[in-house]
């Protein structure tokens, strides 16, 4: 990721980073993640902002054993997640022609990368015995997340959280 990403750009000149650039960005923040993670509560899933510009933002997330987030999307943002320590198990909705074709379950460990293409819907849980730490990069900055119940082959929106102004 070039340094130009660190400068403020007027809205009309902003561009969105794709999952490949977001993956590089998330990896760049890994060395800073452990220190920030150490300051977060150990008892519940927690997060802290590591860096942001008008075009992207990067968080560290911590996951106690058993910690999870329900099935959700990332609004209008694409993203990338790098596991820093511990392990995370993702269940991702696989859709075909707009319909749910199934789910894919994968467990990721330190150094593994999850690419969150625009429209990706997944849940994540720490099924491991240890605390897990991950770095998450989003572009554009995360403005909303919608949570879903999966009922058969449909996703039923339960609630939408909105962030920022
Ligand atoms: Fe997510």
């Amino acid at each position: 990721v070039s340094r130009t990403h660190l400068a403020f750009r007027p809205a009309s000149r902003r561009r969105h980073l794709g999952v490949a650039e977001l993956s590089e960005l998330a990896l760049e923040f890994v060395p800073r993640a452990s220190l920030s993670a150490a300051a977060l509560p150990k008892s519940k899933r927690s997060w802290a902002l590591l860096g942001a510009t008008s075009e992207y933002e990067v968080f560290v997330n911590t996951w106690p054993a058993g910690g999870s987030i329900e099935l959700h999307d990332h609004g209008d943002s694409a993203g990338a997640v790098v596991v820093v320590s511990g392990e995370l198990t993702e269940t991702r909705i696989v859709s075909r022609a707009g319909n749910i074709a199934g789910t894919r379950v994968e467990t990721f460990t330190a150094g593994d990368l999850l690419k969150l293409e625009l429209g990706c819907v997944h849940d994540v849980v720490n099924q491991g015995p240890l605390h897990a730490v991950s770095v998450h990069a989003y572009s554009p900055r995360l403005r909303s997340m919608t949570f879903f119940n999966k009922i058969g082959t449909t996703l039923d929106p339960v609630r939408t959280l909105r962030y920022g102004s």
Side-chain angles (χ1 to χ4, degrees), residues 5-6 52 54 62 77 93 100 108 120 130 152 154 159:
H5 295 157
L6 301 174
S54 56
T62 62
S77 301
I93 299 293
I100 297 177
F108 299 90
C120 152
L130 304 174
T154 43
R159 67 187 189 282

Side-chain angles (χ1 to χ4, degrees), residues 100-146:
I100 297 177
T103 54
R104 190 184 69 217
V105 182
E106 254 182 293
T107 296
F108 299 90
T109 57
D112 288 343
L113 194 63
L114 293 74
K115 291 184 176 175
L116 312 179
E117 294 83 7
L118 201 60
C120 152
V121 175
H122 68 168
D123 70 35
V124 179
V125 58
N126 175 8
Q127 291 181 337
L130 304 174
H131 208 77
V133 176
S134 52
V135 170
H136 300 229
Y138 301 101
S139 178
R141 296 184 69 169
L142 202 53
R143 284 288 161 260
S144 70
M145 284 171 66
T146 296

Side-chain angles (χ1 to χ4, degrees), residues 1-119:
V1 175
S2 77
R3 293 192 65 79
T4 54
H5 295 157
L6 301 174
F8 176 79
R9 287 167 203 254
S12 59
R13 292 177 55 205
R14 266 174 225 166
R15 63 181 201 89
H16 300 159
L17 278 62
V19 288
E21 287 173 295
L22 286 165
S23 301
E24 285 178 36
L25 184 64
L27 286 165
E28 282 181 23
F29 276 83
V30 165
R32 276 170 264 182
S34 298
L35 197 61
S36 299
L40 291 171
K42 288 277 177 288
S43 56
K44 57 177 185 174
R45 196 172 65 80
S46 306
W47 54 91
L49 190 66
L50 293 177
T53 70
S54 56
E55 295 172 336
Y56 64 75
E57 61 191 356
V58 184
F59 295 93
V60 59
N61 277 239
T62 62
W63 309 74
S68 65
I69 182 165
E70 305 150 67
L71 203 57
H72 64 277
D73 69 10
H74 312 89
D76 297 323
S77 301
V81 178
V82 179
V83 179
V84 178
S85 61
E87 66 173 59
L88 293 174
T89 298
E90 177 198 50
T91 301
R92 190 179 292 220
I93 299 293
V94 178
S95 49
R96 209 164 287 134
N99 297 311
I100 297 177
T103 54
R104 190 184 69 217
V105 182
E106 254 182 293
T107 296
F108 299 90
T109 57
D112 288 343
L113 194 63
L114 293 74
K115 291 184 176 175
L116 312 179
E117 294 83 7
L118 201 60

